[in-house]
Amino acid sequence: MSKEIFNGPRDEGLDFGVAVASPPAAETLIRVLLLDDHFENLLLRSTILRKYGYVSETASTIQEALELLDQIDIAVLDYHLGAGQFGTEVAAELRRRRPEVPIIILSATLERRFGGVEDMHLLKGYSSIDDLVNALRSFEAKLRGKPVVVNARDFFYSRINMAMGDDVLLEVLDGEGNWQYVNDTCARLLERPAEWFQGRNMFQEFPDISPDWQEILQTVVTTRETYIDRTYRGLLNLPRKDEEWVWNVLAFPMTLHNNQPGVVLSARILERKS
């Protein structure tokens, strides 16, 4: 039951909150295999990809997908198809028959350690439309023999922000206090655009921050130990604590996108218990 969803004219009124970029007319359109056992997921992804200039070949079963392997340029496969079937079965056959075709696996959980033939994994339900389109754009550029540019930094740190939640003030720094990333919540509090922080030094830009924090950051990087502070000693421009709540500040070590040691610095409001 191989099929292509929505071959008709574009519905310009359909808005998914992302900018639409049309491919160059002179280039052959990229054909993307979409495998998912839920029709509504196929419908949504096919519509999105059509708006970005991709041609979708859809399948809801492994057999349907196998029949399409010779017609596609990139594969986007759901991991769990139900009834004990998995998209990785299609990935293995595609890699055997056409090793040059990039494969993206969409999974609802990362509990299973993937170690197969896939090129990329995206967390279904959390990975945004931008993540999928950026992945397709990167693979498309590679297929066309063009330089591939992927903003790994933002993708890497945005996953941390997503896991911690939008109610947390989040900064990622190296041991000297140079910002690698701040989330939008922190940027709004410090009254700067988020992109302003990257590469700047926290202690130079905000000299009123307690000097103790420079030593704390360096200690976390060196010892790889987590630091928790509830003493409210001048970190950031946090609103004043009161009778009902107090800020909880946490600094823990991580390896940065460039494999250098760094620190995740977060702050969250804790309610006081009466």
Side-chain angles (χ1 to χ4, degrees):
M1 193 174 77
S2 64
K3 55 190 176 294
E4 180 182 337
I5 295 180
F6 283 74
N7 247 340
R10 293 186 177 188
D11 180 0
E12 300 300 337
L14 189 60
D15 182 10
F16 290 94
V18 290
V20 176
S22 300
E27 293 186 317
T28 303
L29 295 179
I30 296 294
R31 304 185 77 86
V32 180
L33 169 62
L34 298 174
L35 170 62
D36 197 301
D37 59 328
H38 294 288
F39 177 76
E40 61 273 18
N41 292 338
L42 290 176
L43 179 64
L44 175 61
R45 291 179 196 137
S46 182
T47 304
I48 293 170
L49 296 193
R50 180 170 52 84
K51 289 176 70 70
Y52 278 86
Y54 293 100
V55 177
S56 300
E57 297 286 353
T58 63
S60 58
T61 68
I62 289 177
Q63 185 57 43
E64 290 177 8
L66 293 177
E67 294 173 359
L68 294 168
L69 296 190
D70 293 328
Q71 306 174 32
I72 62 164
D73 302 298
I74 303 174
V76 179
L77 312 174
D78 189 31
Y79 171 63
H80 197 285
L81 301 172
Q85 294 189 318
F86 299 90
T88 46
E89 297 179 40
V90 177
E93 178 62 15
L94 178 57
R95 183 63 79 234
R96 186 187 69 81
R97 284 166 50 177
R98 301 184 63 204
E100 75 281 4
V101 175
I103 301 171
I104 300 171
I105 292 289
L106 300 178
S107 174
T109 176
L110 293 181
E111 292 178 2
R112 178 183 182 275
R113 289 182 174 270
F114 293 99
V117 298
E118 304 82 21
D119 296 291
M120 180 178 291
H121 297 97
L122 295 178
L123 191 59
K124 186 169 61 175
Y126 287 88
S127 291
S128 67
I129 293 169
D130 286 336
D131 292 339
L132 178 58
V133 172
N134 286 338
L136 291 173
R137 286 289 191 241
S138 298
F139 287 132
E140 177 186 0
K142 186 175 182 179
L143 290 171
R144 297 190 190 281
K146 297 179 179 179
V148 178
V149 179
V150 180
N151 194 336
R153 172 196 294 261
D154 286 348
F155 182 85
F156 183 57
Y157 296 130
S158 66
R159 301 307 93 179
I160 299 173
N161 178 56
M162 186 179 296
M164 297 188 69
D166 291 336
D167 61 326
V168 176
L169 302 176
L170 179 67
E171 304 171 89
V172 180
L173 310 103
D174 63 20
E176 302 302 318
N178 298 309
W179 280 297
Q180 307 299 306
Y181 173 87
V182 304
N183 68 354
D184 290 337
T185 305
C186 181
R188 285 194 297 269
L189 179 66
L190 298 179
E191 300 179 340
R192 303 281 195 286
E195 59 271 15
W196 177 88
F197 293 85
Q198 186 173 311
R200 296 176 184 265
N201 185 275
M202 178 172 69
F203 300 103
Q204 293 178 3
E205 299 296 338
F206 294 94
D208 292 339
I209 293 177
S210 170
D212 291 350
W213 279 101
Q214 191 160 14
E215 180 180 351
I216 291 170
L217 295 187
Q218 292 175 345
T219 301
V220 171
V221 166
T222 302
T223 65
R224 311 300 288 173
E225 295 179 353
T226 299
Y227 179 85
I228 300 175
D229 185 272
R230 296 192 180 95
T231 61
Y232 206 85
R233 295 184 299 137
L235 179 65
L236 303 173
N237 296 328
L238 299 179
R240 294 295 180 186
K241 60 183 178 180
D242 63 15
E243 297 298 323
E244 298 181 357
W245 53 263
V246 65
W247 285 95
N248 178 52
V249 178
L250 176 68
F252 59 90
M254 71 166 293
T255 300
L256 302 176
H257 68 286
N258 56 10
N259 291 324
Q260 298 299 311
V263 181
V264 175
L265 191 59
S266 66
R268 183 196 300 268
I269 288 181
L270 297 179
E271 292 185 5
R272 292 181 181 274
K273 294 183 179 180
S274 58

